[in-house]
Amino acid sequence: MKKRDLKFLLVILIVAFLALIGSEVMVQKRNQAEEQELQRQQALSALESVTTPTPTVTPAVTATPTPIPTATPTSIPQEVGAYFSPDDYWGTWYSANGLVSVNIYDITQDSVSFTFSQSYDYADSYVVTGDATGTVYGNAATVSFTDSAGSQAGGSLTFDSGTLYVNIQTTALADGAVVSPGVASVMSRTRVTPSPVPEEDTQTAETYEETEETYTEEW
């Protein structure tokens, strides 16, 4: 074989080899493209099969306001008068009938404290007592207390130019109570007790009745 024929044969082999390599490369690229397309199709199918969740709407929570308690105002009595001097009212005061005593042991323009005593009779056969503190408004004080027998009482004290007026009544009577608070009186510094009728006056009255009866019979 001639040298020229060998070169021609070598060229043909090289061309055939290059064609074979190109063919292999083309096959690989086509396979990669097909595989990528397959993966893309699978991904799209997977996305289409997934159900899109419906978002849950959470209702807005409305805060319930806490009610604010309204304070009930305490009724304040009208001022009965103007300024009074607390120093004029220290000590013990007695009712007009002498059965009630009020011993004021602490008093200012703002408050008054005292002990209350009520007797059944002048011999003090039954006595109830109580301790009270009241708030002063102007020249009057409202008070309430429970006495030693268990009765509840309430009322007022009025301070007027050195004169003390007490109005206290029983609001709830205790069971079995023989005597309970009850007074509406201008108070005095001296306890008033009724004087017993002298014995000679009693005899005189009886004699007068007998004389009058005899005179009537004779007439």
Side-chain angles (χ1 to χ4, degrees), residues 3 6 16 27 31 61 78 81 84-85 88 94 101 106-107 120 136 138 162 166 175 188-189 195 202 207:
K3 187 175 181 179
L6 291 172
V27 171
N31 292 337
V61 178
Q78 296 293 324
F84 75 99
S85 176
D88 294 340
Y94 298 93
S101 67
D106 188 18
I107 182 171
Y120 177 76
V136 176
V166 176
D175 292 340
S188 171
R189 290 290 189 178
S195 301
T202 304
T207 302

Side-chain angles (χ1 to χ4, degrees), residues 74-90:
T74 303
S75 58
I76 299 176
Q78 296 293 324
E79 293 185 358
V80 180
Y83 174 85
F84 75 99
S85 176
D87 290 339
D88 294 340
Y89 296 94
W90 290 83

Side-chain angles (χ1 to χ4, degrees), residues 132-211:
T133 296
T135 303
V136 176
Y137 304 95
N139 70 329
T142 57
V143 296
S144 62
F145 61 92
T146 301
D147 69 15
S148 55
S151 298
Q152 298 177 12
S156 63
L157 276 66
T158 303
F159 314 99
D160 185 14
S161 302
T163 300
L164 176 64
Y165 179 78
V166 176
N167 183 4
I168 294 176
Q169 304 299 326
T170 299
T171 57
L173 183 65
D175 292 340
V178 177
V179 60
S180 61
V183 58
S185 172
V186 175
M187 308 298 281
S188 171
R189 290 290 189 178
T190 304
R191 182 179 183 181
V192 177
T193 55
S195 301
V197 178
E199 185 176 352
E200 60 270 16
D201 291 347
T202 304
Q203 293 177 351
T204 301
E206 292 175 353
T207 302
Y208 175 79
E209 291 176 356
E210 290 176 358
T211 302

Side-chain angles (χ1 to χ4, degrees), residues 18-38:
L18 292 174
L20 180 62
I21 292 176
S23 177
E24 290 290 336
V25 171
M26 291 295 292
V27 171
Q28 289 181 359
K29 287 184 177 181
R30 187 176 61 217
N31 292 337
Q32 288 180 354
E34 291 177 354
E35 185 176 357
Q36 289 177 355
E37 179 65 19
L38 180 60

